[in-house]
């Protein structure tokens, strides 16, 4: 938190009814590639979950992003898909990294989009389609079955066994499945509740979630 | 909800925005030292002279005028102490004329185009443009004995009597032009001592933090939160009350602030609690001068109830503004509200400063994560 305060002096850690939040103004100058540099500020609240850093924070903004499609009506921002958020967060589990790598790219996208009606980089489709995109992006596969297998694997497994087969369906052992070796060890850190929600979103008709629930890791 | 830290940061910057510059302080000091030199070598040669600023410039609570072309007022006491300058041998009118001649001579020698103006208790020098300040020279003689007797009579402690002075008042016809013991008592040095005694622990802390001796801290750079609170309140008064002869006086504000300041709390919490105390004191109509316990600063409210009314009206607005800050959701709504209480210029300046010591630069990595939604 000290690092956060040093860089963003108007963000402050507050405790309301036992819940920890970072509240205040996030002010920055952000640049991306050779796109325009944007100087902007947002009043935000970052809710820190009880099981942080196992679970990632949720971010709320209720002034500038009203009506924006990548936001819930209660003000919670859809920073990215859970997979992408955990992927980024697990690289360096601290709040400053969370702000710099997830929140600011989100707001940069927003500011740029509002200003130019153009996207500076790709966003994800809503719902299941977006989830599949994100898995395709990381695993090179978007078939419902392989996604299902991957997520199921991550719910069950506590530690990746590199000598077992990769859940991607390639038939290779994880140790030889170079693209997936690292990412698997990150996804298994995603809390099961989140993975289960993803599973439901990807294929609600299969109704196999219950099976998985029975076998989930403890 | 705006967090306390942010509110505090805002009021801290607001105080810095209404504060006057070091250069201005230096200029004032240079000016009155020049006057002292001149007086010592001319009309007032035979008197043992003491010239010193009183009020906000002495206490470090002076503020900018609310308009760009406004004037800075500086009060200077010109105290004569000599066997020849005492109540037994001199009328108030004579002292006033004596100092008046010296002031006039000084202005001519400096080729100040405007003639000094005589007011009830002082002579006012208006320096030419672009100096933007006027100096009130208050003629005075020593009066420690009178204050001591007065205090003793009422069984008050006599802590600050040594520096008491007697001043002239042209409006009091019955005493102005005769030899009398009945002069107005004033005690700016005693008041300053009282104020400094309250500040001392905080100044010591400040000096420790900066690793210097207390004496090495320039007056304008030893600003405590108490200074800042007083400055904010005074500026709020100047802006919301404007030019009004019944305007709440700084001495009352300073006294109540200093008496009720709580160093364990931040600037903002103090502003809230002190504005409450201002309303209470306003209603009571009793604000005792700590450097002369026989004096009630609000004495004149009895004969001029408009003063009391205006004081309470202003203090209530100040308190409401402070409470609004607590209720406001975002910093921006504070901006709109405070523009009407402190003026756009100052609020803009304060906001620019909290907008935040150039913002950090963040470079977004290649192919960042796109937003998503359910």
């Amino acid at each position: 938190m000290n690092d956060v305060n040093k860089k963003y002096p108007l963000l402050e850690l507050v405790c309301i009814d036992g819940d920890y939040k970072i509240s205040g103004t996030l002010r920055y100058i952000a640049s991306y590639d050779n796109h325009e540099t944007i100087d902007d500020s947002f009043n935000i609240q970052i809710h820190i979950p009880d099981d942080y850093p196992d679970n990632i924070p949720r971010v709320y903004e209720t002034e500038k992003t009203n009506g924006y499609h990548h936001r819930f009506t209660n003000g919670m921002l859809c920073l990215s898909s859970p997979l992408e958020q955990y992927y980024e967060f697990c690289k360096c589990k601290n709040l400053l990294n969370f702000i710099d790598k997830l929140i600011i790219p989100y707001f940069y996208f927003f500011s740029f989009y509002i200003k130019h009606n153009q996207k500076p980089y790709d966003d994800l489709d809503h719902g299941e389609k977006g989830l599949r995109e994100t898995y395709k992006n990381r695993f090179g596969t978007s078939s419902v079955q392989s996604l299902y297998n991957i997520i199921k694997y991550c719910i069950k497994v506590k530690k990746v066994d590199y000598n077992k087969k990769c859940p991607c369906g390639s038939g290779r052992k994880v140790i030889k499945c170079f693209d997936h070796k690292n990412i698997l060890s990150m996804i298994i850190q995603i809390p099961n509740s989140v993975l289960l929600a993803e599973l439901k979103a990807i294929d609600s008709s299969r109704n196999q979630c219950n099976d998985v629930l029975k076998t989930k890791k403890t | 909800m705006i967090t306390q830290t942010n509110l505090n940061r805002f009021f801290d910057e607001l105080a810095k925005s209404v504060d006057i510059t070091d250069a201005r302080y230096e200029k004032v000091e240079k000016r009155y030292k020049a006057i002292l030199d001149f007086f010592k070598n001319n009309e007032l040669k035979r008197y043992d002279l003491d010239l010193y600023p009183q009020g906000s410039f002495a206490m470090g609570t002076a503020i900018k005028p609310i308009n760009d072309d406004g004037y800075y007022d500086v009060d200077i006491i010109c105290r004569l102490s000599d066997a020849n300058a005492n109540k037994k041998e001199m009328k108030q009118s004579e002292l006033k004329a004596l100092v008046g001649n010296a002031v006039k001579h000084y202005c001519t020698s400096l080729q100040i185009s405007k003639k000094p103006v005589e007011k009830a208790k002082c002579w006012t020098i208006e320096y030419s443009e672009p100096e933007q300040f006027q100096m009130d020279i208050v003629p005075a003689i020593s009066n420690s004995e009178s204050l001591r007797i007065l205090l003793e009579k009422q069984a008050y402690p006599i802590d600050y009597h040594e520096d008491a002075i007697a001043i002239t008042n042209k409006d009091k016809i019955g005493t102005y032009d005769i030899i009398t013991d009945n002069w107005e008592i004033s005690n700016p040095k005693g008041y300053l001592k009282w104020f400094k005694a309250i500040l001392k622990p905080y100044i010591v802390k400040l000096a420790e933090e900066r690793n210097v001796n207390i004496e090495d801290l320039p007056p304008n750079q030893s600003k405590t939160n108490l200074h800042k609170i007083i400055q904010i309140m005074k500026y709020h008064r100047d802006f919301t009350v404007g030019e009004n002869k019944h305007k709440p006086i700084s001495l009352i504000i300073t006294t109540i602030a200093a008496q009720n300041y709580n160093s364990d709390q931040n600037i903002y919490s103090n502003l809230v609690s002190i504005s409450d105390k201002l309303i209470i004191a306003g209603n009571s109509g009793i604000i005792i001068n700590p450097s002369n316990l026989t004096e009630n600063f609000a004495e004149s409210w009895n004969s001029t109830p408009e003063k009391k009314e205006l004081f309470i009206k202003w203090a209530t607005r100040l308190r409401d503004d402070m409470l609004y800050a607590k209720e406001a959701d975002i910093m921006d709504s504070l901006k709109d509200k405070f523009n009407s209480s402190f003026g756009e210029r100052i609020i803009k300046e304060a906001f620019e400063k909290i907008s935040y010591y150039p913002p950090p630069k963040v470079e977004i990595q290649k192919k960042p994560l796109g937003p998503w939604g359910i």
Side-chain angles (χ1 to χ4, degrees), chain A residues 81 83 127-155 166-170 180 183-184 187 195-196 198-203 206 208 212, chain B residues 372:
Chain A
S81 72
L83 170 68
E128 182 214 337
K129 210 174 160 204
L131 278 180
R132 292 194 1 205
E133 282 168 47
T134 172
Y135 275 89
K136 187 178 180 190
N137 185 22
R138 295 289 174 201
F139 286 93
T141 170
S142 63
S143 87
V144 173
Q145 185 57 53
S146 36
L147 284 193
Y148 186 82
N149 290 341
I150 291 166
I151 298 173
K152 195 172 136 189
Y153 173 89
C154 294
I155 291 175
C166 180
C168 69
S170 64
H180 303 154
I183 193 161
L184 275 178
I187 318 180
L195 290 170
L196 279 166
E198 285 200 333
L199 210 55
K200 274 184 185 163
I202 284 172
D203 189 14
R206 285 182 165 230
Q208 291 183 31
V212 181
Chain B
W372 174 69

Side-chain angles (χ1 to χ4, degrees), chain A residues 85-109:
Chain A
Q85 289 190 56
Y86 278 92
Y87 180 73
E88 199 52 61
F89 181 67
C90 291
K91 281 186 199 164
C92 181
K93 288 188 174 186
N94 68 54
L95 289 165
L96 186 60
N97 180 58
F98 184 77
I99 293 171
D100 285 350
K101 295 290 166 52
L102 284 151
I103 303 181
I104 289 182
Y106 174 91
F107 282 134
Y108 180 87
F109 184 101

Side-chain angles (χ1 to χ4, degrees), chain B residues 80-95:
Chain B
L80 280 55
S81 53
D82 186 80
N84 300 326
N86 59 59
K87 292 184 215 166
K88 288 194 182 85
E89 296 178 23
M90 201 181 242
K91 299 175 189 167
Q92 294 183 24
S93 53
E94 285 168 351
L95 174 66

Side-chain angles (χ1 to χ4, degrees), chain A residues 7-10 12 25 27-33 43 63 70 78-81 84 88 102 104 108 121-122 124-127, chain B residues 1 3-6 9 329-332 354-374:
Chain A
K7 189 163 180 182
Y8 305 104
L10 286 181
E12 186 194 1
T25 309
R27 170 83 196 266
Y28 57 85
I29 297 175
S31 57
Y32 173 64
D33 209 8
N43 287 333
E63 294 157 30
H70 287 305
C78 308
L79 295 177
S80 192
S81 72
E84 293 294 331
E88 199 52 61
L102 284 151
I104 289 182
Y108 180 87
Y121 30 81
D122 290 339
L124 294 169
D125 276 321
H126 279 203
Chain B
M1 196 188 74
T3 61
Q4 284 268 325
T5 310
N6 284 353
R9 210 187 297 268
D329 287 335
I330 52 166
M331 290 300 273
D332 272 0
I354 58 163
S355 290
Y356 326 33
Y357 330 105
K361 288 189 175 142
V362 182
E363 207 172 305
I364 297 170
Q365 61 192 342
K366 282 267 158 101
K367 272 207 155 189
L369 318 156
W372 174 69
I374 291 177

Side-chain angles (χ1 to χ4, degrees), chain B residues 143-253:
Chain B
N143 202 21
S144 58
E145 226 12 53
S146 299
L147 181 57
R148 189 181 60 80
I149 294 166
L150 197 63
L151 288 168
E152 276 176 354
K153 217 187 269 172
Q154 306 201 24
Y156 284 127
I158 50 165
D159 300 345
Y160 299 105
H161 79 284
E162 303 99 331
D163 301 298
I165 51 171
I167 57 169
T168 69
N169 188 345
K170 206 181 168 191
D171 291 345
K172 293 203 171 153
I173 305 155
T175 51
Y176 187 64
D177 214 14
I178 52 168
I179 295 284
T180 172
D181 198 38
N182 191 3
W183 291 43
E184 268 183 40
I185 296 177
S186 183
N187 193 8
K189 260 195 183 173
Y191 187 87
L192 185 63
K193 271 188 187 166
W194 170 80
F195 186 67
K196 282 189 170 165
I198 288 185
L199 284 175
K200 184 133 192 226
Y202 318 124
I203 302 274
V204 168
K205 213 170 137 199
L206 213 69
E208 275 172 9
E209 276 166 17
R210 296 191 200 163
N211 210 8
V212 293
N213 290 326
I214 305 181
E215 296 76 28
D216 297 338
L217 268 180
N220 199 30
Q221 282 171 29
S222 38
K223 284 279 152 70
T224 65
N225 283 350
L226 177 56
H227 287 101
K228 292 173 186 173
I229 289 159
I230 294 168
Q231 287 176 307
I232 290 169
M233 296 196 298
K234 280 169 63 180
Y235 200 89
H236 184 276
R237 172 206 59 190
D238 285 359
F239 196 84
T240 55
V241 177
E243 276 307 313
N244 187 321
K245 61 178 175 180
H246 301 314
K247 187 161 105 169
I249 61 168
S250 298
L251 259 180
I252 292 184
I253 299 172

Side-chain angles (χ1 to χ4, degrees), chain A residues 138-140 172 174 176-184:
Chain A
R138 295 289 174 201
F139 286 93
R172 282 192 291 266
V174 174
K176 297 239 168 105
C177 207
F178 297 110
D179 291 342
H180 303 154
K181 206 166 76 179
N182 291 332
I183 193 161
L184 275 178

